[in-house]
Amino acid sequence: MEKILIVGGGYAGFYTAWGLEKKLRRGEAEVTLVDPHGYMTYQPFLPEVTAGSIEARHVMVSLRRHLRRSTIIAGHTTSIDHAHRTATVRTNDGAIREIGYDTIVVTAGAVTRTFPVPGIAEEAIGLKHVEEAVAIRDQLLTAFDRAALLPPGPERRRLLTVTVVGGGFTGVEVFGELLSLATSLLRSYPELSFDDLGFHLVDTNERILPEVTDEPGRWVVRHLEKRGAHLHLGTHVTSAAGGRIVLADGQSYGNGMLIWAAGNGSNPVVARNTDLPVDERGLVRVRADLRVGTDDAPVPDAWAAGDNAAVPDLASAVPGARTVPNAQHAVRQGKLLAANLVADLRGKKVRPYIHHSLGTVATLGIGQGIFQYRRLVIKGVLAWLMHRGYHVLAVPTWERKIRVLLVWASAALFGRDIIPLATVQQPRAAFLAGGDPFAGAAAGAPAQETAPRPELSVVRHAG
């Protein structure tokens, strides 16, 4: 049988494997998928996970449950030697394996783009994995509990100050959702006031949401500022050390939580550890039909899609344009890739990828959103409902759709759950401390230190 190896189980990788299982005849090919996680994360829902509007497990789709005819290997692909049709994998138990294949599909995803800024590695939390979203939510809820015990002053304000770096969709959505959560929490904390909150969004560009046109982008800025947010545009963070943010324009303030959403960088496996052709950004060069290479020099038996691939955007009027790295493209590229693999295997014609945007939509918190399709712009509650409607239809499997809808329905009736579970990151802490997971706090250490802050995430491994 043909051996097909898929590197990465995110959008593109999952949908490729899922499509292959539906289209391949039994005995026609053997599919192996390598990913360090046992699930695909529906990332557009992560901002709502941080705000407690969606349960964490409901944005994850089990690979083993839905890919029953594929072999799932839990591990990181560390290198690809296409000349010899082998990939090196470090499994989650630390073992090194070489996997042979006939055809490879590279959907390893992107990494978080970081910069050598003091304090980032120690202070920042990324937002590419569901574990990070849960940690962000728990840290904010824990900060409210701690701040309620303090008198008004700088330390209370520092605990309740949140900085988000990155004005793209991920940064703006998590910023809006957390601002909405924090504002609603004040009803449960009479000791605290709105003046204790500090929400800062930082971006090097002079505007946010580059996917929308200028006026809707300016409206979002005005909308967030009316809700008490501070937007620092055209500047960047020069230091985050010691719980203090310093900006290039000279501003400085105490900070309790730093969320890094400054965009994507190339996956190091793709950029540096493969003999497949890559462009100047470290992305795999692919043709419009998702085959690796160029029209003049295709690479046999190699395909790629998703955030680690430079896919030509045939729907764009700009010469040489590439598809933007988002879920809308990755899902559709994965579906086409499965169809093209089967067609190529059977000696039939493959199709180019072309997709006209359905518009852009973003949530800005409960009841607030923005949608744009060409010149049509919708704001407020209707845009927020459109955001929820689109994404609940887009999340894979009916089981996940129904679970998300049920959580939304219960939240509409009873509100969001505001119980933090910060110590879950160290489940043995209570056992070792004789039943008190916050024993360290009694000696002067902050209670949340019993659950260390997650390191800034880099590799997404998601397609």
Side-chain angles (χ1 to χ4, degrees), residues 84-156:
H84 297 92
R85 303 297 194 272
T86 59
T88 302
V89 174
R90 184 180 70 251
T91 58
N92 287 355
D93 62 1
I96 303 296
R97 295 177 57 180
E98 281 200 352
I99 301 175
Y101 61 83
D102 299 309
T103 298
I104 193 166
V105 176
V106 184
T107 52
V111 305
T112 299
R113 184 176 60 182
T114 58
F115 304 95
V117 176
I120 293 298
E122 297 79 15
E123 300 289 336
I125 304 176
L127 191 61
K128 285 191 177 294
H129 301 283
V130 69
E131 295 88 348
E132 294 168 321
V134 172
I136 289 170
R137 176 178 180 271
D138 285 341
Q139 187 170 325
L140 181 63
L141 294 175
T142 301
F144 266 79
D145 284 340
R146 293 179 59 199
L149 300 175
L150 298 176
E155 180 59 17
R156 175 193 277 188

Side-chain angles (χ1 to χ4, degrees), residues 117-120 122-123 237-246 258:
V117 176
I120 293 298
E122 297 79 15
E123 300 289 336
V237 176
T238 60
S239 175
R244 189 161 194 84
I245 298 294
V246 180
L258 175 61

Side-chain angles (χ1 to χ4, degrees), residues 41-56:
T41 302
Y42 189 72
Q43 292 185 348
F45 274 154
L46 290 185
E48 293 203 51
V49 173
T50 66
S53 298
I54 296 178
E55 289 297 323

Side-chain angles (χ1 to χ4, degrees), residues 55-324:
E55 289 297 323
R57 286 184 173 85
H58 296 172
V59 306
M60 295 149 40
V61 179
S62 171
L63 298 180
R64 293 186 181 275
R65 181 170 183 174
H66 298 286
L67 302 178
R68 298 183 182 276
R69 294 170 55 193
S70 302
T71 299
I72 309 297
I73 297 178
H76 293 269
T77 302
T78 58
S79 66
I80 299 170
D81 182 0
H82 190 62
H84 297 92
R85 303 297 194 272
T86 59
T88 302
V89 174
R90 184 180 70 251
T91 58
N92 287 355
D93 62 1
I96 303 296
R97 295 177 57 180
E98 281 200 352
I99 301 175
Y101 61 83
D102 299 309
T103 298
I104 193 166
V105 176
V106 184
T107 52
V111 305
T112 299
R113 184 176 60 182
T114 58
F115 304 95
V117 176
I120 293 298
E122 297 79 15
E123 300 289 336
I125 304 176
L127 191 61
K128 285 191 177 294
H129 301 283
V130 69
E131 295 88 348
E132 294 168 321
V134 172
I136 289 170
R137 176 178 180 271
D138 285 341
Q139 187 170 325
L140 181 63
L141 294 175
T142 301
F144 266 79
D145 284 340
R146 293 179 59 199
L149 300 175
L150 298 176
E155 180 59 17
R156 175 193 277 188
R157 287 194 299 272
R158 186 192 70 80
L159 282 173
L160 298 181
T161 297
V162 176
T163 298
V164 176
V165 177
F169 263 81
T170 299
V172 170
E173 287 193 326
V174 70
F175 187 80
E177 287 287 348
L178 288 178
L179 179 58
S180 175
L181 172 62
T183 304
S184 68
L185 283 173
L186 292 174
R187 294 193 293 269
S188 302
Y189 289 85
E191 308 94 331
L192 305 175
S193 71
F194 185 81
D195 292 336
D196 292 318
L197 302 181
F199 274 76
H200 300 259
L201 179 66
V202 182
D203 195 274
T204 56
N205 297 311
E206 294 290 344
R207 52 161 297 178
I208 60 175
L209 294 178
E211 295 87 349
V212 303
T213 54
D214 289 346
E215 181 50 38
R218 287 192 289 267
W219 177 84
V220 174
V221 171
R222 294 193 300 269
H223 170 80
L224 292 173
E225 288 178 339
K226 286 180 181 178
R227 291 165 57 185
H230 306 277
L231 275 72
H232 309 273
L233 304 181
T235 188
H236 60 275
V237 176
T238 60
S239 175
R244 189 161 194 84
I245 298 294
V246 180
L247 302 179
D249 60 9
Q251 296 186 67
S252 175
Y253 56 88
N255 187 65
M257 179 163 57
L258 175 61
I259 302 168
W260 196 266
N264 294 331
S266 60
N267 192 307
V269 174
V270 173
R272 298 191 294 271
N273 297 313
T274 176
D275 55 354
L276 296 173
V278 298
D279 67 7
E280 66 283 354
R281 297 172 297 169
L283 305 179
V284 181
R285 293 186 184 274
V286 299
R287 311 188 319 178
D289 60 7
L290 306 180
R291 192 189 301 272
V292 174
T294 63
D295 292 336
D296 298 328
V299 177
D301 308 320
W303 307 74
D307 293 356
N308 65 187
V311 180
D313 189 355
L314 300 184
S316 173
V318 179
R322 299 290 185 263
T323 58
V324 296

